[in-house]
Amino acid sequence: MSFPTTRMRRLRRSEALRRMLRETRLSRDDLVAPLFVVEGSGVREAVASMPGVFRFSVDTLVGEAKELVGAGLPAVLLFGIPMHKDATGSGADAAGGVIQRAVEALKSACPDLCVMTDVCLCEYTDHGHCGVVEHGDVANDPTLERLVSTAVSHARAGADVVAPSDMMDGRVAAIRAGLDVGGFEDVAILSYAAKFASAYYGPFRDAAESTPQFGDRRSYQMDPPNAREALREMRLDLEEGADALMVKPALPYLDVLARAKQEFDVPLAAYHVSGEYSMIHAAAQQGWLDGERAMEEALVSIKRAGADIILTYAAKAVAQRLGS
Ligand code: PBG
Ligand code: ZN
């Protein structure tokens, strides 16, 4: 059976056929909206490098979360941006800190919304690194204590899922133990397991004011060419007790995602990061491509490659277009 007996175009002729035969479907249930929270009140500040993304104070954040729930989204991922930054990132685990207050407010206003928190120090340190710096580099083990304390403080505030994004060794085991000792054995860990040292985080660092003040993150985030090492990172995090694993960024690492899908029987998340989002918007603003179609094509490809969960700044807009 070959040409002309086989004609692949027969099944592409109508939207009805295409609808029936579609192998992958993007759903609102797949999407998580990342949100930036700042101090103050009444704040809804546009992020210049990320069209359609805002920084909210806790009060306006609640309004936004209600809209996300209204759009049918199941979850948010919170990033706190404190007023005060110091060498150890003391704001990260402060009772009454910006993220802790945000979690409390969201869980009381939207009890059915799954609240995830990014656990890292870079938004809270004055040097902008993801851990405690000693002798010019991020010191692994002293950072673990800070991360555990941060994760426990998020759990205490009511977080459903904590998502460590620092790439220190041993953080998942340390956080799991800390949560369990603290009585938070039901709080899940979504590990940023395969997180690459990527140029695509640029717009996020503007939004979160977390650009390293010296050096870069290559001594802890992964080297982009390495896929086998990414699988090893993921396996280690699973052994340490991660409930779900993340690959980040998404589009440049779909091969890693697809291999992870074959390898592991746990939920897989992919983070469609700030640069991936902003480059589509930038090209659309120039009139060079159809932004909505390009965004949905990107997200469906992430799902096709194996993601169960997609973290994307386009979550709200896409959910509103998808409908029920
Ligand atoms: C913090 C963190 C980053 C992102 C998520 N958590 C930035 C970084 O590692 O520099 C990136 C998210 C994005 O670009 O959208 N560790
Ligand atoms: Zn960080």
Side-chain angles (χ1 to χ4, degrees):
M1 285 262 282
S2 61
F3 183 79
T5 321
T6 301
R7 289 182 184 271
M8 297 303 288
R9 291 179 56 191
R10 280 184 200 123
L11 296 179
R12 294 178 195 145
R13 290 182 59 242
S14 71
E15 182 55 14
L17 278 167
R18 290 190 295 268
R19 269 173 56 204
M20 280 191 292
L21 301 177
R22 206 153 275 156
E23 297 174 32
T24 309
R25 240 172 270 269
L26 198 59
S27 149
R28 305 185 295 187
D29 297 340
D30 306 324
L31 306 178
V32 178
L35 293 171
F36 299 108
V37 201
V38 295
E39 314 258 14
S41 65
V43 182
R44 186 178 185 273
E45 197 183 348
V47 176
S49 55
M50 301 175 71
V53 174
F54 298 86
R55 308 202 305 177
F56 299 96
S57 49
V58 172
D59 54 331
T60 57
L61 180 78
V62 169
E64 177 68 9
K66 286 181 178 164
E67 286 184 26
L68 297 175
V69 170
L73 290 170
V76 295
L77 172 68
L78 301 182
F79 293 92
I81 304 155
M83 203 83 97
H84 166 81
K85 300 183 189 234
D86 57 29
T88 57
S90 61
D93 56 345
V98 62
I99 190 88
Q100 290 77 8
R101 282 186 289 113
V103 173
E104 279 166 25
L106 288 191
K107 286 310 293 185
S108 80
C110 309
D112 296 332
L113 179 68
C114 172
V115 174
M116 306 183 177
T117 58
D118 185 90
V119 173
C120 201
L121 300 183
C122 53
E123 299 94 343
Y124 302 88
T125 51
D126 50 14
H127 46 70
H129 277 287
C130 300
V132 180
V133 173
E134 287 174 5
H135 315 297
D137 193 13
V138 175
N140 197 89
D141 299 6
T143 298
L144 296 185
E145 289 167 38
R146 301 285 306 121
L147 294 169
V148 170
S149 165
T150 300
V152 169
S153 79
H154 294 180
R156 190 171 293 122
D160 300 294
V161 178
V162 293
S165 69
D166 51 282
M167 289 300 277
M168 296 303 119
D169 290 316
R171 83 279 172 70
V172 173
I175 289 172
R176 184 70 270 159
L179 289 172
D180 291 353
V181 167
F184 302 110
E185 50 280 289
D186 291 336
V187 171
I189 299 176
L190 165 59
S191 169
Y192 285 70
K195 177 174 178 180
F196 291 87
S198 173
Y200 290 96
Y201 306 149
F204 172 95
R205 292 180 188 173
D206 283 344
E209 300 165 6
S210 64
T211 305
Q213 297 304 298
F214 64 89
D216 54 47
R217 302 207 203 290
R218 284 183 282 192
S219 80
Y220 42 105
Q221 297 181 350
M222 286 193 55
D223 203 19
N226 296 2
R228 199 173 52 191
E229 184 189 346
L231 294 180
R232 193 163 172 226
E233 279 280 8
M234 299 179 97
R235 194 171 300 116
L236 280 171
D237 282 8
L238 263 187
E239 286 165 8
E240 288 183 31
D243 298 286
L245 300 171
M246 191 196 298
V247 174
K248 175 187 177 189
L251 289 188
Y253 301 93
L254 292 186
D255 58 325
V256 174
L257 198 59
R259 285 174 67 173
K261 183 73 168 187
Q262 299 282 323
E263 195 90 3
F264 306 117
D265 294 325
V266 293
L268 277 184
Y271 201 141
H272 184 240
V273 301
S274 57
E276 300 180 75
Y277 172 86
S278 293
M279 66 185 183
I280 291 176
H281 273 278
Q285 279 176 2
Q286 295 283 334
W288 291 342
L289 47 69
D290 177 335
E292 293 188 356
R293 283 186 55 206
M295 195 67 77
E296 282 172 37
E297 188 175 332
L299 299 179
V300 88
S301 73
I302 296 166
K303 183 161 182 190
R304 193 187 64 233
D308 302 289
I309 300 169
I310 305 171
L311 300 107
T312 173
Y313 301 96
K316 185 183 184 181
V318 171
Q320 286 169 341
R321 284 202 293 279
L322 285 176
S324 54

